[in-house]
Amino acid sequence: MENWKIINERPFVWGTFVWNMFDFGAAHRTEGDRPGINDKGLVTFDRKVKKDAFYFYKANWNKKEPMLYLAEKRCMQRFLPEQTFMAFTTAPEAELFVNGVSCGKQKADTYATVVWKGVKLQKGENVVRVVTPGKKALSDEVTVRYQGNELTTAWK
C-alpha cells in the first residue's frame, strides 16, 4: 500500500509498474513458505490465488468497475477474540457483519480501504460478511474459526 500512496501523491509520475504480478522461481531464496520461490507477487506461483494486494491495486487503479474484497480471507484460523477486518472497495462505504450482526458502516479512505477494529468473535465458526449499500450492492464473505484462549488460560 505504501508504494501506491507514494505514486498517488505525485501526479507528475506518468508511469509505473508493480513488482511483480506473479510469484516466481528464484533458486537462491530461502525465506517465505517455500524455498526457491520469490513470493512477492500479486498472484501465487501457480496462478490460482490472487493475493490481498491484487485487490488493493484493483480498487485503486480501476475506480469505474464496482468491486469489494474482504482482505485476509486466507487467514481462516484466528487466535484473538478481537480482530481487525479490512476490505478494499470502489464504493464510498461498506458495512461489516459477523454472524449476521452489524459491526457498523465505515467510509472508504483515499486508498479505497475500509477498516473495522475491535471486532469480537465468538468461539467456533464466525461468518464475516462485508456489503456495500445501494441497488447494486456488492458483498464478500469468509468463515473464520476462533478457538478461544485455552492456551493462555492454561498458564494462569
PDB file of all heavy atoms in Angstrom, residues 119-150:
ATOM      1  N   VAL A 119     -13.298  -5.975  16.418  1.00  0.00           N
ATOM      2  CA  VAL A 119     -14.454  -6.811  16.100  1.00  0.00           C
ATOM      3  C   VAL A 119     -14.378  -8.086  16.931  1.00  0.00           C
ATOM      4  O   VAL A 119     -13.395  -8.826  16.861  1.00  0.00           O
ATOM      5  CB  VAL A 119     -14.498  -7.142  14.595  1.00  0.00           C
ATOM      6  CG1 VAL A 119     -15.633  -8.090  14.277  1.00  0.00           C
ATOM      7  CG2 VAL A 119     -14.596  -5.855  13.776  1.00  0.00           C
ATOM      8  N   LYS A 120     -15.406  -8.348  17.707  1.00  0.00           N
ATOM      9  CA  LYS A 120     -15.426  -9.511  18.598  1.00  0.00           C
ATOM     10  C   LYS A 120     -15.906 -10.760  17.864  1.00  0.00           C
ATOM     11  O   LYS A 120     -16.889 -10.719  17.142  1.00  0.00           O
ATOM     12  CB  LYS A 120     -16.327  -9.233  19.793  1.00  0.00           C
ATOM     13  CG  LYS A 120     -15.762  -8.191  20.746  1.00  0.00           C
ATOM     14  CD  LYS A 120     -16.693  -7.981  21.929  1.00  0.00           C
ATOM     15  CE  LYS A 120     -16.181  -7.068  22.991  1.00  0.00           C
ATOM     16  NZ  LYS A 120     -15.329  -6.000  22.689  1.00  0.00           N
ATOM     17  N   LEU A 121     -15.177 -11.850  18.090  1.00  0.00           N
ATOM     18  CA  LEU A 121     -15.544 -13.142  17.527  1.00  0.00           C
ATOM     19  C   LEU A 121     -16.077 -14.036  18.638  1.00  0.00           C
ATOM     20  O   LEU A 121     -15.691 -13.897  19.796  1.00  0.00           O
ATOM     21  CB  LEU A 121     -14.336 -13.816  16.875  1.00  0.00           C
ATOM     22  CG  LEU A 121     -13.677 -13.081  15.709  1.00  0.00           C
ATOM     23  CD1 LEU A 121     -12.508 -13.886  15.185  1.00  0.00           C
ATOM     24  CD2 LEU A 121     -14.680 -12.803  14.597  1.00  0.00           C
ATOM     25  N   GLN A 122     -16.950 -14.956  18.267  1.00  0.00           N
ATOM     26  CA  GLN A 122     -17.401 -15.966  19.220  1.00  0.00           C
ATOM     27  C   GLN A 122     -16.561 -17.218  19.020  1.00  0.00           C
ATOM     28  O   GLN A 122     -15.935 -17.391  17.974  1.00  0.00           O
ATOM     29  CB  GLN A 122     -18.881 -16.270  19.021  1.00  0.00           C
ATOM     30  CG  GLN A 122     -19.186 -16.937  17.683  1.00  0.00           C
ATOM     31  CD  GLN A 122     -20.667 -17.138  17.445  1.00  0.00           C
ATOM     32  OE1 GLN A 122     -21.495 -16.454  18.027  1.00  0.00           O
ATOM     33  NE2 GLN A 122     -20.995 -18.087  16.597  1.00  0.00           N
ATOM     34  N   LYS A 123     -16.517 -18.090  20.014  1.00  0.00           N
ATOM     35  CA  LYS A 123     -15.784 -19.344  19.853  1.00  0.00           C
ATOM     36  C   LYS A 123     -16.414 -20.158  18.730  1.00  0.00           C
ATOM     37  O   LYS A 123     -17.624 -20.157  18.563  1.00  0.00           O
ATOM     38  CB  LYS A 123     -15.826 -20.160  21.146  1.00  0.00           C
ATOM     39  CG  LYS A 123     -14.766 -19.799  22.123  1.00  0.00           C
ATOM     40  CD  LYS A 123     -14.739 -20.823  23.247  1.00  0.00           C
ATOM     41  CE  LYS A 123     -13.609 -20.550  24.183  1.00  0.00           C
ATOM     42  NZ  LYS A 123     -13.501 -21.590  25.192  1.00  0.00           N
ATOM     43  N   GLY A 124     -15.569 -20.815  17.984  1.00  0.00           N
ATOM     44  CA  GLY A 124     -16.045 -21.633  16.871  1.00  0.00           C
ATOM     45  C   GLY A 124     -16.058 -20.847  15.575  1.00  0.00           C
ATOM     46  O   GLY A 124     -15.273 -19.920  15.384  1.00  0.00           O
ATOM     47  N   GLU A 125     -16.979 -21.228  14.689  1.00  0.00           N
ATOM     48  CA  GLU A 125     -17.042 -20.597  13.373  1.00  0.00           C
ATOM     49  C   GLU A 125     -17.753 -19.250  13.426  1.00  0.00           C
ATOM     50  O   GLU A 125     -18.752 -19.092  14.136  1.00  0.00           O
ATOM     51  CB  GLU A 125     -17.751 -21.519  12.380  1.00  0.00           C
ATOM     52  CG  GLU A 125     -16.927 -22.732  12.025  1.00  0.00           C
ATOM     53  CD  GLU A 125     -17.507 -23.518  10.865  1.00  0.00           C
ATOM     54  OE1 GLU A 125     -18.657 -23.236  10.449  1.00  0.00           O
ATOM     55  OE2 GLU A 125     -16.807 -24.416  10.386  1.00  0.00           O
ATOM     56  N   ASN A 126     -17.217 -18.307  12.658  1.00  0.00           N
ATOM     57  CA  ASN A 126     -17.786 -16.968  12.541  1.00  0.00           C
ATOM     58  C   ASN A 126     -17.877 -16.618  11.065  1.00  0.00           C
ATOM     59  O   ASN A 126     -16.867 -16.666  10.357  1.00  0.00           O
ATOM     60  CB  ASN A 126     -16.891 -15.932  13.225  1.00  0.00           C
ATOM     61  CG  ASN A 126     -16.841 -16.112  14.725  1.00  0.00           C
ATOM     62  OD1 ASN A 126     -17.593 -15.488  15.441  1.00  0.00           O
ATOM     63  ND2 ASN A 126     -15.966 -16.992  15.199  1.00  0.00           N
ATOM     64  N   VAL A 127     -19.073 -16.257  10.616  1.00  0.00           N
ATOM     65  CA  VAL A 127     -19.258 -15.833   9.236  1.00  0.00           C
ATOM     66  C   VAL A 127     -19.073 -14.314   9.205  1.00  0.00           C
ATOM     67  O   VAL A 127     -19.827 -13.576   9.837  1.00  0.00           O
ATOM     68  CB  VAL A 127     -20.644 -16.225   8.694  1.00  0.00           C
ATOM     69  CG1 VAL A 127     -20.833 -15.705   7.269  1.00  0.00           C
ATOM     70  CG2 VAL A 127     -20.816 -17.731   8.744  1.00  0.00           C
ATOM     71  N   VAL A 128     -18.048 -13.882   8.486  1.00  0.00           N
ATOM     72  CA  VAL A 128     -17.720 -12.464   8.368  1.00  0.00           C
ATOM     73  C   VAL A 128     -18.105 -12.029   6.957  1.00  0.00           C
ATOM     74  O   VAL A 128     -17.627 -12.599   5.978  1.00  0.00           O
ATOM     75  CB  VAL A 128     -16.217 -12.220   8.621  1.00  0.00           C
ATOM     76  CG1 VAL A 128     -15.884 -10.751   8.501  1.00  0.00           C
ATOM     77  CG2 VAL A 128     -15.814 -12.782   9.972  1.00  0.00           C
ATOM     78  N   ARG A 129     -18.983 -11.042   6.889  1.00  0.00           N
ATOM     79  CA  ARG A 129     -19.519 -10.598   5.592  1.00  0.00           C
ATOM     80  C   ARG A 129     -19.436  -9.086   5.505  1.00  0.00           C
ATOM     81  O   ARG A 129     -19.754  -8.377   6.461  1.00  0.00           O
ATOM     82  CB  ARG A 129     -20.965 -11.051   5.466  1.00  0.00           C
ATOM     83  CG  ARG A 129     -21.596 -10.758   4.144  1.00  0.00           C
ATOM     84  CD  ARG A 129     -22.954 -11.467   4.058  1.00  0.00           C
ATOM     85  NE  ARG A 129     -23.466 -11.394   2.737  1.00  0.00           N
ATOM     86  CZ  ARG A 129     -24.540 -10.688   2.402  1.00  0.00           C
ATOM     87  NH1 ARG A 129     -25.209 -10.019   3.318  1.00  0.00           N
ATOM     88  NH2 ARG A 129     -24.955 -10.664   1.156  1.00  0.00           N
ATOM     89  N   VAL A 130     -19.020  -8.596   4.363  1.00  0.00           N
ATOM     90  CA  VAL A 130     -18.971  -7.155   4.117  1.00  0.00           C
ATOM     91  C   VAL A 130     -19.877  -6.865   2.920  1.00  0.00           C
ATOM     92  O   VAL A 130     -19.926  -7.644   1.967  1.00  0.00           O
ATOM     93  CB  VAL A 130     -17.517  -6.671   3.891  1.00  0.00           C
ATOM     94  CG1 VAL A 130     -16.894  -7.292   2.663  1.00  0.00           C
ATOM     95  CG2 VAL A 130     -17.450  -5.162   3.830  1.00  0.00           C
ATOM     96  N   VAL A 131     -20.643  -5.759   3.014  1.00  0.00           N
ATOM     97  CA  VAL A 131     -21.564  -5.386   1.940  1.00  0.00           C
ATOM     98  C   VAL A 131     -21.460  -3.890   1.679  1.00  0.00           C
ATOM     99  O   VAL A 131     -21.110  -3.105   2.563  1.00  0.00           O
ATOM    100  CB  VAL A 131     -23.030  -5.743   2.278  1.00  0.00           C
ATOM    101  CG1 VAL A 131     -23.211  -7.237   2.439  1.00  0.00           C
ATOM    102  CG2 VAL A 131     -23.506  -5.014   3.506  1.00  0.00           C
ATOM    103  N   THR A 132     -21.778  -3.502   0.437  1.00  0.00           N
ATOM    104  CA  THR A 132     -21.862  -2.091   0.081  1.00  0.00           C
ATOM    105  C   THR A 132     -23.331  -1.720  -0.043  1.00  0.00           C
ATOM    106  O   THR A 132     -24.168  -2.572  -0.341  1.00  0.00           O
ATOM    107  CB  THR A 132     -21.138  -1.798  -1.245  1.00  0.00           C
ATOM    108  OG1 THR A 132     -21.758  -2.560  -2.290  1.00  0.00           O
ATOM    109  CG2 THR A 132     -19.666  -2.137  -1.159  1.00  0.00           C
ATOM    110  N   PRO A 133     -23.666  -0.453   0.183  1.00  0.00           N
ATOM    111  CA  PRO A 133     -25.061  -0.025   0.069  1.00  0.00           C
ATOM    112  C   PRO A 133     -25.468   0.160  -1.391  1.00  0.00           C
ATOM    113  O   PRO A 133     -24.626   0.158  -2.283  1.00  0.00           O
ATOM    114  CB  PRO A 133     -25.071   1.310   0.807  1.00  0.00           C
ATOM    115  CG  PRO A 133     -23.693   1.841   0.627  1.00  0.00           C
ATOM    116  CD  PRO A 133     -22.794   0.637   0.604  1.00  0.00           C
ATOM    117  N   GLY A 134     -26.768   0.334  -1.615  1.00  0.00           N
ATOM    118  CA  GLY A 134     -27.253   0.684  -2.947  1.00  0.00           C
ATOM    119  C   GLY A 134     -27.997  -0.430  -3.634  1.00  0.00           C
ATOM    120  O   GLY A 134     -28.077  -1.562  -3.158  1.00  0.00           O
ATOM    121  N   LYS A 135     -28.556  -0.058  -4.791  1.00  0.00           N
ATOM    122  CA  LYS A 135     -29.354  -1.009  -5.587  1.00  0.00           C
ATOM    123  C   LYS A 135     -28.501  -2.165  -6.091  1.00  0.00           C
ATOM    124  O   LYS A 135     -28.954  -3.288  -6.179  1.00  0.00           O
ATOM    125  CB  LYS A 135     -29.995  -0.298  -6.774  1.00  0.00           C
ATOM    126  CG  LYS A 135     -31.057   0.710  -6.392  1.00  0.00           C
ATOM    127  CD  LYS A 135     -31.604   1.394  -7.625  1.00  0.00           C
ATOM    128  CE  LYS A 135     -32.569   2.500  -7.233  1.00  0.00           C
ATOM    129  NZ  LYS A 135     -33.031   3.252  -8.399  1.00  0.00           N
ATOM    130  N   LYS A 136     -27.271  -1.864  -6.450  1.00  0.00           N
ATOM    131  CA  LYS A 136     -26.363  -2.903  -6.952  1.00  0.00           C
ATOM    132  C   LYS A 136     -25.329  -3.217  -5.871  1.00  0.00           C
ATOM    133  O   LYS A 136     -24.128  -3.058  -6.072  1.00  0.00           O
ATOM    134  CB  LYS A 136     -25.699  -2.460  -8.244  1.00  0.00           C
ATOM    135  CG  LYS A 136     -26.675  -2.288  -9.384  1.00  0.00           C
ATOM    136  CD  LYS A 136     -25.966  -1.966 -10.672  1.00  0.00           C
ATOM    137  CE  LYS A 136     -26.978  -1.835 -11.803  1.00  0.00           C
ATOM    138  NZ  LYS A 136     -26.341  -1.555 -13.081  1.00  0.00           N
ATOM    139  N   ALA A 137     -25.827  -3.649  -4.729  1.00  0.00           N
ATOM    140  CA  ALA A 137     -24.949  -3.939  -3.590  1.00  0.00           C
ATOM    141  C   ALA A 137     -23.991  -5.071  -3.924  1.00  0.00           C
ATOM    142  O   ALA A 137     -24.342  -6.021  -4.625  1.00  0.00           O
ATOM    143  CB  ALA A 137     -25.790  -4.308  -2.374  1.00  0.00           C
ATOM    144  N   LEU A 138     -22.787  -4.937  -3.419  1.00  0.00           N
ATOM    145  CA  LEU A 138     -21.768  -5.972  -3.555  1.00  0.00           C
ATOM    146  C   LEU A 138     -21.567  -6.618  -2.195  1.00  0.00           C
ATOM    147  O   LEU A 138     -21.796  -5.982  -1.162  1.00  0.00           O
ATOM    148  CB  LEU A 138     -20.447  -5.363  -4.022  1.00  0.00           C
ATOM    149  CG  LEU A 138     -20.466  -4.587  -5.333  1.00  0.00           C
ATOM    150  CD1 LEU A 138     -19.139  -3.871  -5.532  1.00  0.00           C
ATOM    151  CD2 LEU A 138     -20.760  -5.518  -6.488  1.00  0.00           C
ATOM    152  N   SER A 139     -21.108  -7.852  -2.177  1.00  0.00           N
ATOM    153  CA  SER A 139     -20.805  -8.499  -0.899  1.00  0.00           C
ATOM    154  C   SER A 139     -19.648  -9.472  -1.073  1.00  0.00           C
ATOM    155  O   SER A 139     -19.375  -9.947  -2.167  1.00  0.00           O
ATOM    156  CB  SER A 139     -22.020  -9.221  -0.338  1.00  0.00           C
ATOM    157  OG  SER A 139     -22.353 -10.341  -1.125  1.00  0.00           O
ATOM    158  N   ASP A 140     -18.991  -9.737   0.036  1.00  0.00           N
ATOM    159  CA  ASP A 140     -17.906 -10.714   0.074  1.00  0.00           C
ATOM    160  C   ASP A 140     -17.893 -11.284   1.479  1.00  0.00           C
ATOM    161  O   ASP A 140     -18.248 -10.584   2.438  1.00  0.00           O
ATOM    162  CB  ASP A 140     -16.574 -10.051  -0.263  1.00  0.00           C
ATOM    163  CG  ASP A 140     -15.480 -11.049  -0.608  1.00  0.00           C
ATOM    164  OD1 ASP A 140     -15.807 -12.230  -0.861  1.00  0.00           O
ATOM    165  OD2 ASP A 140     -14.301 -10.660  -0.618  1.00  0.00           O
ATOM    166  N   GLU A 141     -17.519 -12.538   1.623  1.00  0.00           N
ATOM    167  CA  GLU A 141     -17.538 -13.126   2.963  1.00  0.00           C
ATOM    168  C   GLU A 141     -16.526 -14.242   3.112  1.00  0.00           C
ATOM    169  O   GLU A 141     -16.016 -14.777   2.121  1.00  0.00           O
ATOM    170  CB  GLU A 141     -18.932 -13.619   3.337  1.00  0.00           C
ATOM    171  CG  GLU A 141     -19.381 -14.887   2.675  1.00  0.00           C
ATOM    172  CD  GLU A 141     -20.741 -15.344   3.193  1.00  0.00           C
ATOM    173  OE1 GLU A 141     -21.680 -14.529   3.227  1.00  0.00           O
ATOM    174  OE2 GLU A 141     -20.859 -16.532   3.551  1.00  0.00           O
ATOM    175  N   VAL A 142     -16.261 -14.555   4.371  1.00  0.00           N
ATOM    176  CA  VAL A 142     -15.378 -15.657   4.726  1.00  0.00           C
ATOM    177  C   VAL A 142     -15.855 -16.220   6.058  1.00  0.00           C
ATOM    178  O   VAL A 142     -16.445 -15.497   6.868  1.00  0.00           O
ATOM    179  CB  VAL A 142     -13.903 -15.201   4.821  1.00  0.00           C
ATOM    180  CG1 VAL A 142     -13.696 -14.215   5.945  1.00  0.00           C
ATOM    181  CG2 VAL A 142     -12.965 -16.384   4.964  1.00  0.00           C
ATOM    182  N   THR A 143     -15.626 -17.485   6.263  1.00  0.00           N
ATOM    183  CA  THR A 143     -15.888 -18.097   7.561  1.00  0.00           C
ATOM    184  C   THR A 143     -14.545 -18.322   8.241  1.00  0.00           C
ATOM    185  O   THR A 143     -13.672 -18.979   7.686  1.00  0.00           O
ATOM    186  CB  THR A 143     -16.646 -19.433   7.411  1.00  0.00           C
ATOM    187  OG1 THR A 143     -17.898 -19.169   6.769  1.00  0.00           O
ATOM    188  CG2 THR A 143     -16.906 -20.067   8.766  1.00  0.00           C
ATOM    189  N   VAL A 144     -14.391 -17.725   9.422  1.00  0.00           N
ATOM    190  CA  VAL A 144     -13.156 -17.879  10.192  1.00  0.00           C
ATOM    191  C   VAL A 144     -13.473 -18.636  11.468  1.00  0.00           C
ATOM    192  O   VAL A 144     -14.608 -18.671  11.928  1.00  0.00           O
ATOM    193  CB  VAL A 144     -12.496 -16.514  10.514  1.00  0.00           C
ATOM    194  CG1 VAL A 144     -12.108 -15.795   9.237  1.00  0.00           C
ATOM    195  CG2 VAL A 144     -13.375 -15.654  11.383  1.00  0.00           C
ATOM    196  N   ARG A 145     -12.452 -19.246  12.034  1.00  0.00           N
ATOM    197  CA  ARG A 145     -12.637 -20.029  13.255  1.00  0.00           C
ATOM    198  C   ARG A 145     -11.784 -19.431  14.366  1.00  0.00           C
ATOM    199  O   ARG A 145     -10.597 -19.215  14.203  1.00  0.00           O
ATOM    200  CB  ARG A 145     -12.244 -21.478  13.001  1.00  0.00           C
ATOM    201  CG  ARG A 145     -12.466 -22.371  14.180  1.00  0.00           C
ATOM    202  CD  ARG A 145     -12.491 -23.842  13.752  1.00  0.00           C
ATOM    203  NE  ARG A 145     -12.911 -24.684  14.836  1.00  0.00           N
ATOM    204  CZ  ARG A 145     -14.154 -24.831  15.277  1.00  0.00           C
ATOM    205  NH1 ARG A 145     -15.125 -24.191  14.690  1.00  0.00           N
ATOM    206  NH2 ARG A 145     -14.449 -25.618  16.279  1.00  0.00           N
ATOM    207  N   TYR A 146     -12.454 -19.179  15.503  1.00  0.00           N
ATOM    208  CA  TYR A 146     -11.759 -18.704  16.693  1.00  0.00           C
ATOM    209  C   TYR A 146     -11.836 -19.806  17.735  1.00  0.00           C
ATOM    210  O   TYR A 146     -12.915 -20.217  18.136  1.00  0.00           O
ATOM    211  CB  TYR A 146     -12.386 -17.404  17.204  1.00  0.00           C
ATOM    212  CG  TYR A 146     -11.899 -17.007  18.585  1.00  0.00           C
ATOM    213  CD1 TYR A 146     -10.542 -16.832  18.830  1.00  0.00           C
ATOM    214  CD2 TYR A 146     -12.787 -16.840  19.625  1.00  0.00           C
ATOM    215  CE1 TYR A 146     -10.089 -16.492  20.089  1.00  0.00           C
ATOM    216  CE2 TYR A 146     -12.349 -16.488  20.888  1.00  0.00           C
ATOM    217  CZ  TYR A 146     -11.006 -16.323  21.116  1.00  0.00           C
ATOM    218  OH  TYR A 146     -10.558 -15.990  22.369  1.00  0.00           O
ATOM    219  N   GLN A 147     -10.685 -20.291  18.183  1.00  0.00           N
ATOM    220  CA  GLN A 147     -10.611 -21.405  19.122  1.00  0.00           C
ATOM    221  C   GLN A 147     -10.836 -20.998  20.568  1.00  0.00           C
ATOM    222  O   GLN A 147     -11.024 -21.837  21.414  1.00  0.00           O
ATOM    223  CB  GLN A 147      -9.236 -22.077  19.026  1.00  0.00           C
ATOM    224  CG  GLN A 147      -8.996 -22.803  17.738  1.00  0.00           C
ATOM    225  CD  GLN A 147      -9.963 -23.934  17.517  1.00  0.00           C
ATOM    226  OE1 GLN A 147     -10.779 -23.863  16.621  1.00  0.00           O
ATOM    227  NE2 GLN A 147      -9.897 -24.970  18.313  1.00  0.00           N
ATOM    228  N   GLY A 148     -10.753 -19.723  20.854  1.00  0.00           N
ATOM    229  CA  GLY A 148     -10.772 -19.296  22.244  1.00  0.00           C
ATOM    230  C   GLY A 148      -9.345 -19.220  22.747  1.00  0.00           C
ATOM    231  O   GLY A 148      -8.397 -19.477  22.011  1.00  0.00           O
ATOM    232  N   ASN A 149      -9.174 -18.872  23.996  1.00  0.00           N
ATOM    233  CA  ASN A 149      -7.820 -18.689  24.519  1.00  0.00           C
ATOM    234  C   ASN A 149      -7.447 -19.781  25.517  1.00  0.00           C
ATOM    235  O   ASN A 149      -6.922 -19.510  26.583  1.00  0.00           O
ATOM    236  CB  ASN A 149      -7.669 -17.299  25.126  1.00  0.00           C
ATOM    237  CG  ASN A 149      -8.726 -17.028  26.191  1.00  0.00           C
ATOM    238  OD1 ASN A 149      -9.595 -17.853  26.424  1.00  0.00           O
ATOM    239  ND2 ASN A 149      -8.645 -15.877  26.820  1.00  0.00           N
ATOM    240  N   GLU A 150      -7.691 -21.022  25.153  1.00  0.00           N
ATOM    241  CA  GLU A 150      -7.373 -22.144  26.032  1.00  0.00           C
ATOM    242  C   GLU A 150      -5.897 -22.179  26.398  1.00  0.00           C
ATOM    243  O   GLU A 150      -5.530 -22.501  27.525  1.00  0.00           O
ATOM    244  CB  GLU A 150      -7.751 -23.496  25.391  1.00  0.00           C
ATOM    245  CG  GLU A 150      -9.244 -23.734  25.284  1.00  0.00           C
ATOM    246  CD  GLU A 150      -9.860 -23.126  24.032  1.00  0.00           C
ATOM    247  OE1 GLU A 150      -9.124 -22.590  23.187  1.00  0.00           O
ATOM    248  OE2 GLU A 150     -11.082 -23.156  23.914  1.00  0.00           O
TER     249      GLU A 150
END
